[in-house]
Amino acid sequence: MASSQSSKFLTLTATITLALAAALSASTALSFYMWRRKSRSLESKVAELEKSLKSSMDKCCAERQGRIRAQQALRKGLAHPQANNLELSAYPMAPIGIIQSCYSTRNGTPRQPLLVPLARACLIFDPSRVPPASLEGLKEYSHCWIIYVFHLNTNLENLWKQPSKSRFKAKVRVPRLKGGRMGVFATRSPHRPCPIGLTVAKVEAVQDNMVLLSGVDLVDGTPVLDIKPYLPYCDSIEGARVPKWVSEDNLLAVASVSFSEDFPYTLAECWVKTEKKSLYASPDEFQSLIKQVLSWDIRSLAQRNRPHDYRVETENGIALGNTSDSDSYQDEKASTHVTDQASPIEEIIYHLSLEGLDVSYRIDCNGNVLVEKVTISSDVPDNHRKRCNYSEWSDKLRFHKGL
């Protein structure tokens, strides 16, 4: 009896074991089948992705090769321009910033940089072209080079003419030679085949997309193409040679600059209305700027050479024949405004426009300047109404900190 029950128990155990084994085998087979199915699906997707990736890489490679061929063709065309297809030799460039300068007009703008240390300007970059990060590190330099456009040249229309019709003048009159002519590339004349200027200025402060500069020789509204840091070890050339007429620095210096008794009162009246727009901290500092500017004879070559009994022909307060005569203007950035039609030179009143203020002065035959008064100019360009001012920069200025 016991043996029979034991036999049945063993049979049942074996049956259950076989059933479990069969069930496990079926489950394993099903799992393996599902895994294989998913594996094949993944392999198919991987193959599709690899095919798509290869297609994209081939397309990018083809586009890159196309760009390389186009660039090579462009460089070849620029290196060998056809006379009947001049546009292929042009490099499209656009200003990256604009200058807001203390010099409202060309009149009084120095002929060279750093001659007027107090001359300030704010270079405002176009944020769509120049992100603020581009200016990181610039404030570590004391000076920078500025590449700009002579946008107030009176013959800019020649840029759109054929070279044979542009009437480019190979020689220009030089102020230091008292009207003597010199080859344009031996001068700093603004009237050049490509009216691009190069100047250097002191970096006073950098803020967001703006750079405050001093010692500038740039008129308000000047378009800027590029700036680069000044590097003394390679930009300053020891033993550099220049012609004798260039090295005679005092040829255009005046004998003295003085102010009339009424000048401080007229400046105080104007300062109340212009202080918030000025790059200067006080009327006294602005007066120092005027003295520095007028320490150099800013009159045009024709006005300096004019006999004392010459009658000044004017129209609306502007001397005729100065700005229109590009040859006499060639190496001068200023055409001086004149208001009095008087014969003695001491009675001629000249005008200087700084930060929208009109400064009246006289100069005698011995080079002594007398600054008479200052008024608010009525013909200031609109961009003077939206200018940077001293208060925006006061906490960042080197000269403000005495550095």
Side-chain angles (χ1 to χ4, degrees):
M1 184 75 178
S3 174
S4 176
Q5 290 180 348
S6 175
S7 175
K8 289 181 180 180
F9 176 77
L10 291 174
T11 302
L12 180 60
T13 302
T15 302
I16 293 173
T17 301
L18 290 175
L20 289 174
L24 182 60
S25 176
S27 175
T28 302
L30 181 62
S31 298
F32 179 76
Y33 171 77
M34 295 300 295
W35 175 82
R36 285 293 299 166
R37 185 175 181 180
K38 290 182 179 180
S39 177
R40 289 173 182 174
S41 177
L42 288 174
E43 288 176 356
S44 176
K45 289 182 180 180
V46 169
E48 290 179 1
L49 290 173
E50 289 178 344
K51 184 177 179 180
S52 177
L53 178 61
K54 185 177 182 303
S55 176
S56 298
M57 292 179 65
D58 291 343
K59 184 177 179 181
C60 290
C61 183
E63 291 177 351
R64 184 173 181 273
Q65 292 298 324
R67 288 196 301 269
I68 292 175
R69 287 192 293 268
Q71 291 169 359
Q72 291 173 342
L74 177 60
R75 286 195 294 268
K76 183 177 179 180
L78 292 173
H80 306 285
Q82 300 179 4
N84 59 352
N85 201 6
L86 293 178
E87 63 270 14
L88 288 179
S89 61
Y91 294 87
M93 295 185 185
I96 61 173
I98 200 81
I99 287 288
Q100 284 191 358
S101 171
C102 63
Y103 299 109
S104 306
T105 64
R106 292 177 302 185
N107 174 33
T109 306
R111 296 178 178 89
Q112 303 298 340
L114 307 179
L115 293 180
V116 181
L118 273 176
R120 294 174 193 159
C122 182
L123 170 53
I124 303 177
F125 289 96
D126 180 356
S128 65
R129 291 180 172 271
V130 182
S134 304
L135 301 177
E136 290 182 6
L138 180 62
K139 64 182 179 181
E140 303 300 325
Y141 295 89
S142 64
H143 294 76
C144 70
W145 294 106
I146 303 169
I147 302 173
Y148 62 97
V149 179
F150 288 110
H151 68 300
L152 295 182
N153 278 5
T154 56
N155 60 347
L156 286 179
E157 70 278 0
N158 291 338
L159 295 176
W160 286 268
K161 296 180 180 179
Q162 295 284 346
S164 60
K165 299 180 181 179
S166 64
R167 296 180 181 179
F168 164 66
K169 294 184 178 181
K171 288 191 173 184
V172 296
R173 297 184 185 276
V174 181
R176 290 177 181 268
L177 293 178
K178 298 181 179 179
R181 294 177 181 271
M182 190 63 62
V184 64
F185 293 125
T187 74
R188 298 285 188 90
S189 168
H191 291 269
R192 320 179 73 81
C194 291
I196 296 176
L198 173 67
T199 189
V200 66
K202 185 177 181 182
V203 179
E204 297 291 356
V206 178
Q207 175 178 297
D208 299 329
N209 67 327
M210 300 181 293
V211 179
L212 187 69
L213 306 164
S214 66
V216 300
D217 60 344
L218 300 171
V219 69
D220 194 63
T222 296
V224 172
L225 299 175
D226 192 18
I227 64 170
K228 305 176 188 294
Y230 176 87
L231 304 177
Y233 76 91
C234 61
D235 291 340
S236 178
I237 304 175
E238 185 178 355
R241 186 179 71 254
V242 297
K244 183 179 179 181
W245 59 269
V246 174
S247 59
E248 295 176 355
D249 294 332
N250 295 325
L251 286 177
L252 299 177
V254 302
S256 66
V257 178
S258 59
F259 295 84
S260 69
E261 294 182 358
D262 295 334
F263 178 83
Y265 302 104
T266 60
L267 177 57
E269 291 179 357
C270 295
W271 192 258
V272 174
K273 301 178 181 179
T274 61
E275 180 180 8
K276 294 182 179 180
K277 304 174 186 177
S278 179
L279 284 171
Y280 298 88
S282 65
D284 292 338
E285 189 179 33
F286 188 77
Q287 184 171 337
S288 297
L289 169 68
I290 295 173
K291 186 171 184 177
Q292 286 186 8
V293 173
L294 294 180
S295 294
W296 302 89
D297 194 343
I298 65 174
R299 295 175 300 170
S300 69
L301 181 63
Q303 290 169 340
R304 291 199 305 275
N305 292 338
R306 181 183 297 120
H308 293 178
D309 58 353
Y310 182 86
R311 288 185 64 83
V312 182
E313 183 181 4
T314 63
E315 179 180 339
N316 297 328
I318 301 177
L320 299 180
N322 292 325
T323 58
S324 60
D325 184 0
S326 61
D327 191 31
S328 64
Y329 171 74
Q330 291 290 343
D331 217 14
E332 305 189 38
K333 295 182 179 177
S335 59
T336 309
H337 290 201
V338 182
T339 55
D340 285 5
Q341 298 185 20
S343 53
I345 194 168
E346 292 84 353
E347 296 182 21
I348 298 177
I349 300 177
Y350 298 94
H351 294 263
L352 167 67
S353 184
L354 295 173
E355 289 207 316
L357 297 181
D358 183 75
V359 180
S360 305
Y361 71 97
R362 304 174 189 267
I363 182 169
D364 64 23
C365 57
N366 295 319
N368 297 299
V369 174
L370 175 64
V371 185
E372 294 193 337
K373 64 178 181 178
V374 60
T375 59
I376 296 179
S377 179
S378 59
D379 57 350
V380 181
D382 290 341
N383 53 356
H384 275 273
R385 314 305 182 198
K386 305 174 183 178
R387 18 188 335 105
C388 301
N389 57 65
Y390 179 84
S391 61
E392 291 182 64
W393 296 94
S394 59
D395 61 334
K396 292 182 172 61
L397 301 183
R398 291 181 179 176
F399 47 77
H400 179 75
K401 297 179 180 178
L403 298 180

